[in-house]
């Protein structure tokens, strides 16, 4: 009896895990058919399945044909493909099924990847989301991934300051700034938060889509790190069908969008002499030397041209293999990138100091159906960066280029000695070629494993899911350092402490990790064909360690419930109960609720038969979100008291002392924001799509240091405790436009545009009111946008805004803090009329704040027969900045003179009534070289961001080469830029000559599909 029970139990277990296959073997039937669009063209890759039986699924081939098994008794199949409405059809055995899909410009049936690994039908989504597909991102020939998003998502502001290899990431903001703290969006990779992940290392060929979650309804479930938005990256996965192999390769030439231009060496000598005379000194260069520099008989240099090449190359290669069946779906991708730099380095016998990047990307996504009720997935994403460069970084090299006057010979003598001057201990040539090398290796690993158990055998629509995510980053660098002798142009030694040394090796390394667990109980069901219920409860726990710090811990309990009626009315509620160790016990947990709703007006009976209105949805959301990204300093509730070395006392005793740093606040807690969004989605004539969102964020409990407190209490301003006293408002709107049309001539046209406007105001930051101290503008932050800059206003009442004589200065009778003006310096307005020119007279500069108020982009794609053309524009507006770096201020280093300085004030130029466009030159400091309206400039710009022209080989030719598709293309990035910047030869996203440039790229490529 015992043995019999054991055998019965074993058979039950076997049946549990094999019953699906047995049942299918006994009851399956076979049907076939074809999938076409309205134009009767076959559709490749359409997914055909049996409703409520996803294990019975297949896909159409290149001719639109399919064949599939179905369970006995089934009578319906559904067909889905992006860009078309889903279609459900009844079938009859032994009769072909013919699907005729209608294009869906509105994307009503598109499946959106949304928060917490959930998928929602776009037509019923209540949140604010913007999405760009990977097929558009690959059009940008850039080494870094983040730049591919620029100008493509409404509400995303993206700022790029350099194209340095491996350091060309853009800084991104979603809907501007909500707080003065922690405005970085949370990056989520395939549903797993990835706070350590460098998204710039992603290979665009691996990305299916990127979405930004913008309002409370969309992002709330990711907790306090999502208050400023979420960047949701979804990588490609395998699909049911034959194995496909895609190969992509391209070659690029990259050059600076703007190349600095300085005056000739002869002009430099003249202008340097003038600057010395203006300062009361004597000329440095004789008339004979100036003549020699001018006619070329004496050597002169443009050091930028010497040390920076005109162009650099980049190569990219990518192989993608994917396929699958009802059991296993897989995708494996391997990519390689090699990028050189513009820095002109020379290889020697011991090492190569050239800056080069080698990047390897590997992605493997596998989905496995273990049983009818059990499936799992494994995601693996690995990036390896190998960077070779000189011992000194690009920042040091770029800063050094203009430190030596162009009149100095060099950079080396005929026998290879490094030439410098007595004021320049570290000449650029030596920094690049004679200081050693560094080999850096960076490894990013992201792994996620998840299982989903369908509990439909208990009740339909119920399931549970568990996911474990692991992220690790490693950076290791081997340095080889050396030194070299310096010489003057006449051959005499300089800086004698520097001599030629053998290489000395050293190594640094750091490691970071992030591990998390997510558990879900899901319920998703439709009752009676009209009542949709979508709900889940989730638990999230994470542990993170960075560079040897104490681990960071967070946990959250989340809930979501959504009800939809008849595909017309939707209401949704979400909540998070978040916990963080950033605050003391008692303040660590907080409840944040969100509610949203949508009305699909176009599904109302009175509009269903309207030809011109394809889709109309009205959305609204409101909710509270928290923010715990307050400061880089941890545990703000505890006072920082340290026992430190105090050195020797009375030369005999070694002592220690107690140092009190930042004061703790035991009551510090989450910042809170109330976020509202009101949106509308419209599609007209199944061609024109419009999405508009108005949003408003009220940030309260903002963590600040109360600077209205007097320092007389003995605590310096930087050590004041953080308190939840600040307030800030941020509001704006987003617009997305699309127009897709297939013309009878065979031309397909796709036009897209987006725009995001944001305006923030710091309403209360406990700032000291300076009215009693005589400030014309008593606040520097309160009442202004974050990052507001101030400067002096120039008084043009005398006709040109300059003091034109010493007599005019004396007659003015003003007193000055800092440097007193000379003839040729600016006249500043005494706004408070106290007879002094000081910071009390400074005024807010228009639009000079942290972020532009307007970001926009647009593109047009034309496809005709085998040709395709893509053009993208991108820009920003409502922005200005203070410019003071090399190439702007004339007194940088030994004087850096450009077209800006050619018409500098001189007594002779003023007397001759000639054009004057810059104050009198100086070799040191002057009252003109400080924050004033002259050195502020609007830096609005618009770029011809991307252009792609492609040609696809006719199928009759590619098939002879055993290829599914062969496409050639040429492309370019940042080809043209127009800007409102009043300073020439600067890229509008950069502020000085002494930074590594932003690239313009010319590219040629090849796509092969097998």
């Amino acid at each position: 009896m015992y043995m019999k029970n054991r055998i019965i139990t074993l058979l039950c277990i076997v049946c549990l895990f094999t019953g699906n296959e047995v049942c299918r073997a006994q009851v399956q039937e076979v049907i076939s058919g074809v999938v076409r669009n309205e134009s009767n063209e076959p559709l490749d890759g359409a997914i055909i399945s049996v409703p409520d039986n996803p294990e019975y699924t297949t896909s159409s081939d290149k001719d639109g044909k399919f064949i599939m098994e179905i369970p006995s008794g089934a009578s319906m199949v559904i067909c889905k493909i992006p860009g078309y409405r889903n279609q459900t059809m009844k079938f009859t055995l032994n009769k072909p099924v013919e699907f005729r899909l209608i294009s869906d410009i509105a994307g009503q049936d598109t499946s959106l990847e949304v928060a917490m690994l959930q998928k929602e039908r776009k037509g019923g989504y209540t949140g604010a989301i913007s999405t760009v597909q990977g097929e558009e991102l690959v059009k940008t020939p850039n080494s870094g991934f983040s730049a591919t998003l620029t100008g493509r998502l409404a509400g995303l502001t993206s700022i790029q300051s350099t194209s340095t290899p491996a350091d060309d990431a853009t800084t991104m903001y979603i809907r501007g700034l909500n707080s003065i703290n922690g405005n970085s969006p949370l990056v989520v990779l395939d549903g797993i938060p990835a706070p350590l992940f460098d998204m710039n290392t992603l290979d665009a060929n691996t990305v299916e889509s990127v979405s930004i979650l913008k309002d409370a309804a969309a992002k709330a479930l990711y907790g306090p790190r999502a208050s400023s938005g979420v960047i949701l990256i979804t990588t490609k996965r395998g699909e049911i069908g034959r194995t496909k192999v895609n190969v992509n390769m391209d070659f690029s030439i990259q050059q600076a969008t703007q190349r600095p231009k300085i005056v000739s060496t002869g002009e430099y000598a003249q202008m340097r002499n003038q600057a010395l005379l203006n300062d009361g000194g004597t000329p440095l260069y004789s008339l004979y030397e100036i003549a020699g520099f001018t006619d070329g008989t004496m050597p002169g240099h443009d050091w930028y041209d010497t040390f920076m090449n005109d162009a650099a190359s980049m190569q990219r290669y990518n192989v993608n293999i994917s396929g699958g069946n009802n059991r296993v779906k897989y995708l494996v991708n391997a990519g390689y990138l090699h990028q050189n730099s513009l820095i002109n380095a020379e290889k020697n016998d011991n090492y190569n100091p050239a800056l080069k990047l080698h990047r390897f990307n590997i992605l493997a996504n596998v989905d496995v159906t273990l049983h009818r009720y059990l499936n799992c997935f494994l995601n693996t994403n690995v990036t390896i960066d190998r960077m070779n460069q000189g011992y000194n970084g690009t920042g040091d090299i770029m800063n050094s280029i203009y430190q030596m006057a162009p009149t100095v010979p060099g950079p080396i003598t005929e026998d290879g000695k490094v030439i410098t001057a007595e004021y320049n201990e570290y000449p650029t040539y030596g920094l690049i070629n004679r200081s050693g090398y560094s080999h850096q290796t960076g490894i990013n690993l992201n792994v996620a494993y998840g299982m989903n158990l369908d509990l439909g055998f208990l009740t339909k629509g119920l399931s549970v899911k568990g996911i474990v995510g692991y992220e690790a980053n490693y950076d290791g660098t081997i340095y080889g350092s050396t030194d070299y002798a310096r010489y003057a142009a006449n051959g005499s030694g300089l800086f004698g402490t520097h001599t030629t040394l053998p290489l000395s090796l050293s190594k640094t390394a750091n490691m970071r990790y992030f591990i998390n667990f997510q558990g879900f109980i899901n319920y998703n069901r439709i009752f009676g064909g009209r009542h949709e219920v979508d709900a889940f409860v989730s638990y999230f726990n994470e542990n993170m360690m960075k560079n040897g710090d104490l681990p960071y811990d967070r946990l959250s309990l989340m809930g979501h419930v959504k009800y939809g009626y008849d595909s017309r009315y939707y209401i949704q509620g979400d909540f998070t109960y978040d916990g963080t160790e950033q605050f003391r016990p008692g303040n660590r947990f907080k409840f944040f609720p969100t509610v949203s709703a949508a009305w699909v007006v176009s599904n109302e009976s009175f509009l269903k038969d309207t030809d011109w209105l394809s889709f109309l949805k009205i959305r609204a959301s409101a909710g509270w979100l928290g923010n715990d990204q307050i400061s880089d300093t941890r545990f703000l509730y505890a006072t920082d008291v340290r026992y430190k070395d105090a050195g020797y006392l009375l030369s005999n005793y070694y002592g220690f002392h107690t140092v009190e740093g930042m004061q703790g606040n035991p009551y510090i807690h989450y910042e809170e924001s109330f976020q509202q969004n009101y949106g509308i989605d419209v599609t007209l004539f199944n061609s024109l799509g419009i999405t508009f969102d108005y949003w408003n964020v009220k940030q309260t409990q903002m963590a600040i240091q109360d600077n209205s407190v007097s320092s007389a209490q003995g605590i310096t301003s930087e050590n004041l405790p953080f308190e939840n006293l600040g307030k800030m408002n941020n509001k704006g709107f987003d617009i997305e436009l699309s127009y897709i049309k297939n013309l009878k001539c065979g031309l397909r046209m796709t036009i897209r545009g987006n725009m995001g406007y944001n305006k923030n105001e710091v309403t209360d930051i406990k700032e000291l009111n300076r009215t009693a101290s005589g400030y014309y503008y008593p606040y520097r932050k309160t009442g202004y946008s974050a990052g507001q800059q101030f400067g002096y206003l120039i008084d043009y009442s005398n006709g040109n805004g300059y003091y034109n004589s010493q007599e005019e200065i004396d007659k003015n009778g003003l007193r000055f803090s800092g440097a007193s003006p000379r003839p040729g310096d600016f006249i500043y307005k005494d706004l408070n009329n106290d007879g002094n020119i000081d910071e009390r007279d400074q005024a807010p500069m228009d639009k000079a704040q942290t972020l532009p108020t307007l970001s926009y982009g647009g593109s047009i794609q034309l496809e005709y027969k085998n040709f395709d053309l893509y053009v993208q524009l991108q820009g920003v507006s409502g922005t200005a900045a203070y410019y003071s770096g090399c190439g702007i201020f004339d007194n940088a280093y030994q004087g850096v003179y450009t077209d800006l300085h050619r018409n500098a004030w001189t007594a002779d130029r003023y007397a001759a009534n000639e054009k004057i466009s810059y104050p009198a030159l100086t070799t040191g400091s002057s009252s003109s070289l400080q924050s004033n309206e002259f050195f502020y400039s609007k830096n609005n710009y618009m770029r011809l961001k991307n252009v792609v022209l492609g040609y696809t080989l006719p199928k009759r030719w590619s098939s002879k080469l055993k290829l599914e598709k062969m496409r050639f293309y040429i492309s370019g990035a940042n080809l043209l830029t127009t800007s409102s910047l009043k300073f020439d030869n600067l890229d509008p996203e950069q502020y000085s000559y002494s930074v590594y440039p932003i690239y313009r790229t010319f590219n040629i490529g090849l796509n092969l599909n097998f």
Side-chain angles (χ1 to χ4, degrees), residues 476-625:
T477 305
I478 297 175
Y479 294 97
S481 63
T482 184
D483 206 350
Y484 55 95
R486 281 85 158 158
Y487 296 89
N490 61 11
S492 61
L494 290 176
F495 304 107
T497 57
H498 294 281
T499 59
T500 302
L501 297 175
L503 279 171
S504 175
L505 300 181
S506 61
K507 181 179 180 180
T508 63
N510 61 72
M511 173 77 178
R512 300 169 295 278
Y513 76 80
F514 173 79
I515 188 168
N516 65 86
F517 169 77
Q518 301 178 59
F520 296 85
I521 301 176
N522 298 283
Y523 184 73
N524 193 314
R525 189 170 178 179
I526 300 176
F527 296 90
R530 291 191 174 189
H531 303 275
E532 303 174 42
V533 177
D534 176 25
F536 69 80
V537 176
S538 175
Y539 171 79
F540 180 86
N541 195 348
E542 68 175 61
N543 177 264
M544 179 172 63
M545 188 274 288
K546 299 190 295 185
N547 303 326
D549 293 346
L550 290 172
Y552 295 71
D553 291 296
R554 284 188 178 91
L555 58 86
S556 296
L557 178 66
M558 293 156 283
H560 163 88
V561 61
K562 180 177 181 180
Y563 170 74
Y565 174 73
D566 197 26
S567 297
R568 289 183 289 166
Y569 313 113
Y570 296 90
I571 186 167
Q572 174 179 315
D574 301 279
F575 77 86
T576 62
Y577 185 63
D578 301 305
T580 176
E581 61 174 4
Q582 285 290 84
F583 314 122
R584 72 170 179 85
N587 289 337
R588 290 180 173 175
F589 289 87
K590 184 73 175 179
F591 179 82
F592 298 101
T594 299
V595 64
S596 58
W599 176 26
V600 184
V601 185
S602 55
N603 284 347
E604 294 289 353
S605 57
F606 58 86
L607 287 174
K608 274 195 172 182
D609 296 328
T610 305
D611 293 335
W612 59 272
L613 183 63
S614 306
F615 183 69
L616 172 60
K617 179 172 67 174
I618 299 172
R619 297 174 282 107
S621 69
W624 284 264
L625 281 80

Side-chain angles (χ1 to χ4, degrees), residues 130 153-157 173-176 212 214 734 754-756 855:
S130 291
L153 293 164
L156 180 70
T157 300
Y173 301 88
I174 297 176
R175 290 182 167 179
I212 56 173
K214 299 186 286 188
D734 305 331
N754 69 81
M755 182 173 67
S855 299

Side-chain angles (χ1 to χ4, degrees), residues 727-730 759-763 781-786:
K727 296 178 182 179
M728 184 170 170
N729 293 337
N730 187 26
K759 175 66 175 176
N760 66 73
E761 180 185 353
V762 177
T763 56
K781 297 179 180 180
T782 305
Y784 301 106
S785 295

Side-chain angles (χ1 to χ4, degrees), residues 236 244-248 318-322 333 1008-1010:
K236 294 179 179 178
K244 298 179 181 179
V245 179
N246 300 326
V247 179
N248 305 290
N318 179 274
V319 178
N320 182 297
I321 303 173
S322 65
N333 186 94
L1008 302 174
N1009 295 353
F1010 295 88

